[in-house]
Amino acid sequence: DAKTTQPNSMESNEEEPVHLPCNHSTISGTDYIHWYRQLPSQGPEYVIHGLTSNVNNRMASLAIAEDRKSSTLILHRATLRDAAVYYCILSKGNTPLVFGKGTRLSVIA
Amino acid sequence: DTGVSQDPRHKITKRGQNVTFRCDPISEHNRLYWYRQTLGQGPEFLTYFQNEAQLEKSRLLSDRFSAERPKGSFSTLEIQRTEQGDSAMYLCASSPPSGIAPYNEQFFGPGTRLTVL
């Protein structure tokens, strides 16, 4: 499985945008880029995924570099409820997910 | 509540005892996954099923771990002769049939926290 690299932690002020980076330099052409997040004391939850083009949904936006070797999850307006561990994962489709340690996002009121 | 459910939510056992966890996936989800998560780490894949077929079990941590999904609905994960190192959160997830979409998100349950004394 191709690996991803994320910062261990990030901090954001409430109501400001947050850009969570992910490097995946060994990504293959058939790898999808997924983001999941895990709120305290809960199971992970899906955030967004993409292949080549940027993606938007009600939770976030995913910006994918042209060479696909990196991507950025964008939370447009962080709230206290967005404090969580965010995981960037590569997968070829409906296969088991390989989680790293993720980025722990703290949101300051 | 129509999400993935897991039972029990917490289990405390003594070393050497057997434990069994149950996962009820979202109705009509044909794929079911088991993961384990230790403190400070991301979830680690253990095994998964498509309907009643177990498609991957090489990642089960030892032969003390086994999983079943006999009728393609709920699943059980059993750990025999538990050890203190088995203490962790055990997560279950399900996803719908592939259909036309190449990717379907996994929906996770709240997990079962196991403590082995």
Side-chain angles (χ1 to χ4, degrees):
Chain A
D1 298 311
K3 286 189 64 175
T4 62
T5 304
Q6 299 178 252
N8 290 333
S9 62
M10 290 186 65
E11 203 172 80
S12 172
N13 293 319
E14 196 176 13
E15 299 189 7
E16 289 188 357
V18 182
H19 291 233
L20 297 164
C22 181
N23 288 319
H24 28 77
S25 58
T26 59
I27 190 170
S28 74
T30 54
D31 282 330
Y32 285 82
I33 302 161
H34 312 262
W35 285 82
Y36 280 73
R37 73 179 185 180
Q38 188 170 21
L39 279 64
S41 303
Q42 296 188 25
E45 65 174 347
Y46 167 84
V47 178
I48 200 166
H49 79 279
L51 185 61
T52 56
S53 302
N54 295 344
V55 184
N56 299 297
N57 66 21
R58 63 175 180 83
M59 289 181 71
S61 295
L62 176 60
I64 302 173
E66 197 169 332
D67 63 5
R68 300 211 323 129
K69 292 186 176 182
S70 66
S71 61
T72 302
L73 179 71
I74 302 166
L75 306 179
H76 295 287
R77 206 164 147 265
T79 70
L80 296 177
R81 289 175 295 178
D82 291 321
V85 178
Y86 287 79
Y87 298 98
C88 171
I89 302 167
L90 302 182
S91 174
K92 296 192 186 305
N94 289 299
T95 56
L97 300 172
V98 179
F99 290 81
K101 289 190 175 182
T103 296
R104 182 173 298 278
L105 175 66
S106 301
V107 180
I108 302 168
Chain B
D1 189 310
T2 58
V4 177
S5 62
Q6 294 188 244
D7 183 68
R9 294 291 307 278
H10 303 273
K11 178 70 176 179
I12 299 174
T13 191
K14 292 183 179 179
R15 190 177 53 186
Q17 299 293 305
N18 299 342
V19 294
T20 300
F21 309 140
R22 176 179 170 125
C23 171
D24 286 89
I26 294 172
S27 179
E28 298 180 356
H29 279 195
N30 66 336
R31 288 185 178 234
L32 187 149
Y33 306 81
W34 284 100
Y35 296 83
R36 185 181 84 152
Q37 185 172 27
T38 54
L39 200 60
Q41 304 295 316
E44 175 188 14
F45 166 70
L46 296 178
T47 187
Y48 82 112
F49 296 84
Q50 180 167 299
N51 300 311
E52 63 273 14
Q54 191 171 12
L55 298 187
E56 172 64 66
K57 57 182 179 181
S58 64
R59 303 290 183 95
L60 286 168
L61 300 164
S62 77
D63 58 8
R64 297 184 296 106
F65 287 72
S66 63
E68 292 185 342
R69 194 182 183 198
K71 297 182 180 178
S73 56
F74 73 91
S75 175
T76 57
L77 177 69
E78 181 181 17
I79 309 173
Q80 296 182 329
R81 306 180 303 280
T82 52
E83 302 173 356
Q84 288 184 326
D86 297 332
S87 295
M89 177 74 82
Y90 290 84
L91 294 160
C92 175
S94 69
S95 65
S98 297
I100 298 172
Y103 171 76
N104 286 303
E105 65 187 88
Q106 294 185 21
F107 294 80
F108 283 80
T112 294
R113 181 167 296 283
L114 173 67
T115 302
V116 182
L117 301 176

